[in-house]
Amino acid sequence: MTQASAPITQDVLTIPRKLPEPGLTNIVGLGRDALRAALIAAGTPEKQAKMRVNQIWQWVYVWGARDFDGMTNLAKSYRAELAENFYIGLPEMVSRQISSDGTQKYLARIAGGHEVEVVYIPEEDRGTLCISSQVGCTLTCSFCHTGTQKLVRNLTAAEIVGQIMMARDDLDDWPRPGEAYGERPRLISNIVLMGMGEPLYNFDAVRDAMKIAMDGEGISLSRRRITLSTSGVVPEIARCAEEIGCMLAISFHATTDEVRDRLVPINKKWPIAELLEALRKYPKASNSERITFEYVMLKDVNDSDEDAHRLIKLIKGIPAKINLIPFNEWPGAPYQRSDWARIKRFADIIYKAGYASPIRTPRGEDIMAACGQLKSATERARKSRAEIAAEIGEA
Ligand code: SAH
Ligand code: SF4
């Protein structure tokens, strides 16, 4: 892949945001039941609470309202009451970079001054938003830039769904006044939990956020348009189908435990056989809902013909598609991307065995927005060797 040469635009946004008063509750991130309870606790009569939830929900998640003033179907006095108790809070967008291929990378600041990256990838038939679930990651996959960053903290449900809302704000992806809902095609049509962090290590917040994103009377993204990618946290995998219902992607990346231990150290805790067993039992897997096996192509590490044949053998019987990811290099990375001819040959073997084997086109490489390159500017503290060793030992 050649590096893009066209100029890159970088905006540093300086929109001042009103900080919430201490003691106010953020509406964003509360599920319908939690919102109902919070409204009642703040004085909304119980009999009205359900209707108020519906109204506020519509304003926030269908129309993108950012304050209570504009909620014109609520009485003025009630709007004032809401403003005394609640706010509508999103991560603050601190910068936006646009790649020559149209990919956009946002830096979103969350409470505590931490920053996470959010990437928008426009394609002909869809627009995918790649969101983060943690600041940093506890895992230490050796080819992943995020893995060199310490886990700072889990994101809250508000911060996870808030990334989608923040990007919709920037892209003007809410219905405009006078526009019928759904009149304009949506720019963000798909969500992938493939940014920073291991989503299954922040399960509850990810689930709550995705439930809000999937709510049919709100952001309304179908569960089939949301993909959660995990490095293989085996005990949480079934919950993903049961409690979220979205599509599943597995960072597989190797065909022997020896190599996978090195690439995805969580493999020491849950090795390939255990992972595959969990996937065989995955409640949702079917021919129409295949599990995606992500496979990063690392030169001379996992890209041989034998690997391709072993991969096919291993996943036999699992409704699967295989997504080959040319390694996205980052400064100091200990690996190289496999040659193009090698990747094609690997894809060919898989295709001949009857699996779809798309090669993921690297996007946004010029702005370090590609898979696995995400890393916040403020959290560059590298883990020490001892810390990494300790975590791998633990994993
Ligand atoms: N933590 C989750 C989701 C985030 S990573 C997980 O590991 O699945 C999203 C995908 O990008 C994963 O498949 C990950 O293994 C892959 N990835 C990480 N670093 C990469 C890199 N430098 N080049 C290509 N893919 C990478
Ligand atoms: Fe964490 Fe995923 Fe990167 Fe591994 S690949 S270090 S699990 S973000």
Side-chain angles (χ1 to χ4, degrees), residues 8-15 17 91-99 103-110 114-120 129 163 166-167 170-171 367-369 374-378 380:
I8 302 158
T9 329
Q10 164 138 39
D11 286 338
V12 175
L13 307 176
T14 51
I15 308 160
R17 245 178 214 275
E92 184 184 1
M93 188 197 298
V94 285
S95 73
R96 177 210 299 118
Q97 284 174 280
I98 304 175
S99 159
T103 302
Q104 304 201 18
K105 181 168 81 170
Y106 302 107
L107 202 56
R109 188 176 296 150
I110 55 170
H114 307 301
E115 288 167 355
V116 290
E117 286 172 356
V118 181
V119 179
Y120 175 63
L129 193 72
Q163 294 170 57
M166 181 198 82
D170 182 66
L171 296 165
I367 55 170
M368 291 278 286
L374 305 183
K375 182 155 163 159
S376 79
T378 52
R380 290 200 189 278

Side-chain angles (χ1 to χ4, degrees), residues 32 94 98 113 130 164 189 201 214 250 273 316 369 380:
R32 282 177 180 270
V94 285
I98 304 175
C130 176
I164 305 174
S189 62
Y201 274 157
M214 291 187 290
I250 301 289
K316 200 164 185 258
R380 290 200 189 278

Side-chain angles (χ1 to χ4, degrees), residues 27 32 35 51-75 78-79 82 88 165 174-175 177 217-219:
I27 295 265
R32 282 177 180 270
L35 178 56
M51 185 172 72
R52 299 289 174 240
V53 167
N54 286 341
Q55 290 169 316
I56 296 167
W57 194 273
Q58 269 225 338
W59 280 114
V60 174
Y61 296 117
V62 173
W63 302 105
R66 289 292 167 269
D67 57 45
F68 301 105
D69 285 350
M71 300 189 177
T72 46
N73 56 354
L74 300 176
Y78 187 62
R79 285 183 244 165
L82 287 174
I88 300 165
M165 298 163 77
W174 300 99
E217 318 237 315
I219 298 175

